[in-house]
Amino acid sequence: MSIFKNKQKATLPVISTASLPDIVFMLLFFFMVATVMRKDTLIVKNELPYADQIEKLDKKNMVIHIYAGKPSSRYKNVGTEARVQLNDKFADIREIKPFVLEEMKSKPKELRPYLTTALKVDKNTKMGLVGDIKNELRSVRMLKINYTTRSGDAIKNLE
């Protein structure tokens, strides 16, 4: 007549792993939605100038980006002179026209008149290069140009 039972035979209950795949897929879905994919990898120095009167572009998919600036520290073998970057490679001024025409062809025909060219130019880049880029854009009739800047006091550009 034993009142007390032997507890040595009792084992821990098994942890249920049935909900583990649900948790993994929920985390995967969260990170897929929350992550912003960068379209281009910058290979030029791109310290944007400050501006105090800025407007945000409404439709990001209707923008063609052109970067200009000195090559970043990883690309010093290219030189120290300011260069143009189209997508993920250095380009010559003469390559802007075919690049813009190709980008225009990738957009629906009815939206082509609303395309905007965003110039992301380093604040230390000479205006001669920017003028050459604008001349190439004029030859393709891309007259809507946006200069991408940082929000702030324009006096900071003189520092």
Side-chain angles (χ1 to χ4, degrees):
M1 164 173 352
S2 112
I3 298 177
F4 301 104
K5 293 186 178 179
N6 191 359
K7 292 187 179 182
Q8 292 177 349
K9 294 182 182 177
T11 60
L12 293 174
V14 178
I15 297 175
S16 174
T17 58
S19 63
L20 190 61
D22 294 336
I23 294 170
V24 169
F25 284 117
M26 187 178 5
L27 285 171
L28 178 67
F29 182 73
F30 170 77
F31 286 115
M32 285 174 54
V33 171
T35 303
V36 177
M37 300 300 287
R38 190 177 182 110
K39 185 177 178 185
D40 297 323
T41 303
L42 288 178
I43 58 177
V44 295
K45 185 178 175 191
N46 200 253
E47 188 177 339
L48 298 174
Y50 290 98
D52 53 5
Q53 297 179 1
I54 59 173
E55 293 181 23
K56 197 165 191 153
L57 290 175
D58 293 333
K59 298 180 181 176
K60 301 266 187 195
N61 62 343
M62 300 302 297
V63 179
I64 299 171
H65 297 282
I66 297 176
Y67 303 93
K70 293 182 180 180
S72 65
S73 59
R74 296 180 305 187
Y75 298 95
K76 287 295 181 185
N77 58 345
V78 179
T80 58
E81 188 177 317
R83 304 281 307 260
V84 176
Q85 176 186 343
L86 303 175
N87 287 339
D88 288 334
K89 63 178 184 151
F90 290 115
D92 191 41
I93 295 293
R94 295 181 302 266
E95 296 176 41
I96 293 176
K97 187 175 182 178
F99 170 75
V100 170
L101 291 173
E102 194 64 35
E103 289 288 320
M104 287 174 66
K105 286 180 186 175
S106 69
K107 306 294 182 192
K109 192 171 185 174
E110 60 273 359
L111 297 178
R112 289 180 191 165
Y114 304 109
L115 284 174
T116 302
T117 305
L119 296 181
K120 294 187 175 187
V121 181
D122 184 59
K123 69 179 185 178
N124 296 322
T125 302
K126 305 282 185 205
M127 279 304 292
L129 180 63
V130 176
D132 293 342
I133 294 170
K134 288 171 54 176
N135 285 335
E136 286 294 313
L137 291 173
R138 276 189 210 116
S139 69
V140 205
R141 308 272 304 144
M142 285 297 295
L143 304 177
K144 289 184 183 178
I145 297 175
N146 172 14
Y147 294 98
T148 305
T149 61
R150 288 187 287 177
S151 180
D153 192 9
I155 300 295
K156 290 181 184 179
N157 294 326
L158 301 175
E159 297 173 355

